[in-house]
């Protein structure tokens, strides 16, 4: 054997103990995963001859990530959250399951329990001088039949790319609403046209992206959870067509079927019909749910 068997054994022994494989207690799946991860990490340290300085830089980086609560943001930026979607799609295709509106990542900025109303909601608190958005559509099954009692949970950024709760300058639940559909399956919200998101420029995620030569921007998008009795929960987003980052999302969430065309409404009568002092922008987007 060309490798030193004594050294090989020493690493194997270390990993067996450090990952708990030698312990009688603990969770077997967790142990196996930790064993794999630690082994891979040791291989990486060896392959790149990682210095002590580099190692402690990485440890301090993890602390910084936690302090800034950016672990989920980094997971999105590294494409890991999108990879979970790829896996879910793959499994459904392998099982021959029906497909409706495609899923895409949730991202790290959802907040539960947004105000709930029937059919319609206004999402913005009126504090921004922004382009008014009328967003509407129908929730259907795969045959196109309207789904009643669906909850459409919508959240998006303001014109600075910030989300309420994470951006202290916004009011509680600004740009976050839940709308319950009636027998027509329809939802409609009045809001403002969001701008794309950018990672905090002084944060650890952007710092890592800089080292990779990558930007941390997302195209303008609107998040949705759509759920209804008898149907599979859908986590998705729509992207507003025309954004410079449409196909250059740092979080890899764009999908062809999820691109929505914003339509500029300049006929003041059409704006007035929505009770909007026009001009405004309309986006229509329908969701097809898969039976559970
Ligand atoms: C966002 O708004 C977002 O949707 C994701 C996935 C990551 C960062 C900010
Ligand atoms: Fe987002």
């Amino acid at each position: 054997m060309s490798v030193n068997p004594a050294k090989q054994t020493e690493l194997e022994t270390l990993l067996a103990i450090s990952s708990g494989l030698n312990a009688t207690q603990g969770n077997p799946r967790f142990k196996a995963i930790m064993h794999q991860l630690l082994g891979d990490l040791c291989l990486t340290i060896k392959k790149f001859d990682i210095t002590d300085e580099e190692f402690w830089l990485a440890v301090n980086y993890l602390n910084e990530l936690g302090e800034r609560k950016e672990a989920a943001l980094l997971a999105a930026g590294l494409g890991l959250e999108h990879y979970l979607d790829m896996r879910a799609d793959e499994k459904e295709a392998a099982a021959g399951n029906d497909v409706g509106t495609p899923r895409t990542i949730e991202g790290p900025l959802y907040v539960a329990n947004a105000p709930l109303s029937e059919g319609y909601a206004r999402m913005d608190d009126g504090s921004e001088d922004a382009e008014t958005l009328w967003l509407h559509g129908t929730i259907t099954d795969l045959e196109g039949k309207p789904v009643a009692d669906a909850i459409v949970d919508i959240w998006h950024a303001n014109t600075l790319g910030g989300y309420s709760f994470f951006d202290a300058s916004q009011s509680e639940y600004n740009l976050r609403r839940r709308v319950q559909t009636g027998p027509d399956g329809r939802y409609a919200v009045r809001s403002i046209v969001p701008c794309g998101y950018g990672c905090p420029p002084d944060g650890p995620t952007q710092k890592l992206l800089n080292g990779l030569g990558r930007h941390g921007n997302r195209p303008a998008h609107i998040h949705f959870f759509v759920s209804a009795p008898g149907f599979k929960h859908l986590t998705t987003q729509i992207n507003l067509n025309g954004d410079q980052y449409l196909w250059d999302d740092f979080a890899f969430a764009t999908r062809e079927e999820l691109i929505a065309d914003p339509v500029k409404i300049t006929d003041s009568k059409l704006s007035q019909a929505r009770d909007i002092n026009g001009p405004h922008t309309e986006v229509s987007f329908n969701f097809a749910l898969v039976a559970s």
Side-chain angles (χ1 to χ4, degrees), residues 85-260:
D85 282 344
M86 290 167 60
R87 297 248 317 144
D89 288 349
E90 241 172 58
K91 286 182 185 180
E92 283 180 2
N97 290 345
D98 291 332
V99 286
T101 301
R103 66 164 56 80
T104 196
I105 65 171
E106 172 181 333
L109 305 174
Y110 175 70
V111 174
N113 300 313
L116 174 64
S117 55
E118 283 175 22
Y120 168 81
R122 178 161 176 177
M123 298 185 69
D124 67 299
D125 63 9
S127 65
E128 276 188 289
D129 182 22
E131 172 84 4
T132 299
L133 170 69
W134 186 269
L135 166 65
H136 65 115
T138 307
I139 315 302
T140 71
D141 65 14
L142 295 184
E143 276 76 54
K145 189 169 149 280
V147 174
D149 296 322
I151 304 279
V152 187
D153 196 336
I154 310 173
W155 71 105
H156 67 80
N158 68 4
T159 60
L160 299 173
Y163 285 79
S164 61
F165 289 90
F166 301 90
D167 166 12
S169 79
Q170 293 185 47
S171 61
E172 255 195 20
Y173 288 110
N174 189 38
L175 312 179
R176 299 177 186 276
R177 290 294 184 276
R178 289 179 296 161
V179 174
Q180 182 165 5
T181 61
D184 62 359
R186 295 198 56 81
Y187 76 94
V189 295
R190 175 186 167 150
S191 195
I192 56 170
V193 178
C195 286
Y197 169 93
C199 289
D202 63 337
T205 299
Q206 189 58 58
K207 188 159 98 181
L208 185 146
L209 291 171
N210 289 344
L212 301 178
R214 294 180 51 199
H215 68 72
N217 298 307
R218 302 209 61 214
H221 62 279
I222 300 169
H223 297 266
F224 293 85
F225 283 162
V226 186
S227 56
F231 293 90
K232 288 183 186 165
H233 175 93
L234 174 64
T235 298
T236 195
Q237 304 177 25
I238 61 173
N239 289 115
L240 302 186
N241 207 354
D243 192 293
Q244 66 163 312
Y245 292 108
L246 184 67
W247 287 108
D248 191 19
D249 178 8
F250 98 104
F252 311 95
T254 308
R255 304 183 72 150
E256 195 73 58
E257 308 92 321
L258 298 174
I259 298 171

